[in-house]
Amino acid sequence: MKFFIDTANLDEIKKAKELGILAGVTTNPSLVAKEGVPFHKRLEEITEIVTGSVSAEVIREDAEGMIEEGKKLAAIAPNITVKIPMTLEGLKAVNTLTSLNIKTNVTLIFNANQALLAARAGATYVSPFLGRLDDIGHLGMDVVDTIRTIFDKHQVHTKIIAASIRHTMHVTEAARLGAHIATVPYGVLEQLVKHPLTEQGIEKFLADWNQAQHRV
Ligand code: E4P
């Protein structure tokens, strides 16, 4: 499983890139709005930092509008992936954008049927939202599991992005169940690195080292 970062914040993207684990970025209208910067400018800035896929979401809800917006977004940089919501109009847009060789990420996926339809329409990626399903008392991870089983059984090549990740166990489980990518907020990425025994171990090694220095 690869790691994308789920943010429109440049500092977070740069910090994740320095770790050498960053395969791409996902943004959404809420994340861009939080930054208070013009959308297209921010996408240009992100694509200057990251060579992997950068998902940018359309705002229009009709297929024609999504296609028009998608073309403009894709023209920003070759690594832009157009993010399209899972609706009938969205599927039409995915179909057309795919025929134009524009990559798509179908977002707001909450069950396996939606994922299969998106894949058959030509989506490069599907993004099941784990945290939002957990929030309403469903097991988001079951959706990832079912999507992976169906995709494998029917030789579907669309990649599964585990999205709406809230904590480290989401990451472990997404990897165990075969999500191709997890798109992770920066805070969760930091938590993934930490373990109390690692911290204790470093302290103990340093204390032993310093003690030995005093003996010489
Ligand atoms: C994914 O592409 C979305 O941007 C994101 O993961 C949504 O997460 P949220 O439910 O925490 O807003």
Side-chain angles (χ1 to χ4, degrees):
M1 185 178 78
K2 293 184 175 169
F3 288 97
F4 284 5
I5 189 166
D6 194 30
T7 185
N9 182 282
L10 295 184
D11 286 341
E12 291 182 346
I13 293 168
K14 284 178 193 157
K15 283 193 277 181
K17 188 184 172 186
E18 282 170 359
L19 302 177
I21 52 91
L22 190 62
V25 176
T26 53
T27 66
N28 65 41
S30 309
L31 291 170
V32 177
K34 211 164 80 178
E35 296 298 308
V37 289
F39 183 38
H40 282 225
K41 173 142 191 328
R42 180 46 51 100
L43 289 171
E44 275 170 27
E45 291 167 334
I46 296 174
T47 54
E48 276 161 21
I49 302 169
V50 178
T51 52
S53 164
V54 175
S55 282
E57 191 159 341
V58 297
I59 305 299
R60 290 275 294 271
E61 291 183 73
D62 59 307
E64 207 183 313
M66 291 183 199
I67 294 162
E68 196 185 307
E69 248 187 279
K71 284 184 195 167
K72 285 185 189 151
L73 291 170
I76 293 174
N79 55 333
I80 289 280
T81 297
V82 180
K83 212 174 183 191
I84 304 273
M86 177 61 209
T87 59
L88 289 171
E89 290 298 296
L91 291 181
K92 283 194 234 170
V94 169
N95 180 32
T96 301
L97 292 170
T98 303
S99 71
L100 298 171
N101 279 324
I102 294 174
K103 290 195 169 68
T104 55
N105 172 3
V106 177
T107 189
L108 293 164
I109 295 273
F110 293 97
N111 66 43
N113 291 334
Q114 291 180 317
L116 184 57
L117 283 169
R120 289 309 188 202
T124 318
Y125 303 100
V126 288
S127 290
F129 274 35
L130 312 182
R132 292 193 196 187
L133 276 167
D134 290 357
D135 288 346
I136 59 160
H138 290 255
L139 284 173
M141 209 50 78
D142 285 353
V143 176
V144 171
D145 195 12
T146 310
I147 296 172
R148 183 67 212 235
T149 303
I150 291 172
F151 280 13
D152 285 350
K153 196 163 279 185
H154 298 280
Q155 289 91 48
V156 173
H157 300 298
T158 300
K159 302 279 185 239
I160 303 164
I161 303 180
S164 187
I165 297 261
R166 300 278 161 77
H167 51 73
T168 57
M169 279 312 292
H170 273 155
V171 177
T172 313
E173 281 297 286
R176 190 174 69 83
L177 294 172
H180 302 93
I181 297 145
T183 189
V184 180
Y186 186 76
V188 174
L189 200 56
E190 276 191 335
Q191 284 168 20
L192 287 171
V193 175
K194 291 182 185 159
H195 193 285
L197 290 179
T198 305
E199 280 151 34
Q200 278 174 35
I202 291 169
E203 267 176 44
K204 175 88 170 73
F205 284 151
L206 274 179
D208 290 347
W209 177 262
N210 287 333
Q211 218 174 20
Q213 296 307 301
H214 288 121
R215 282 204 298 269
V216 247

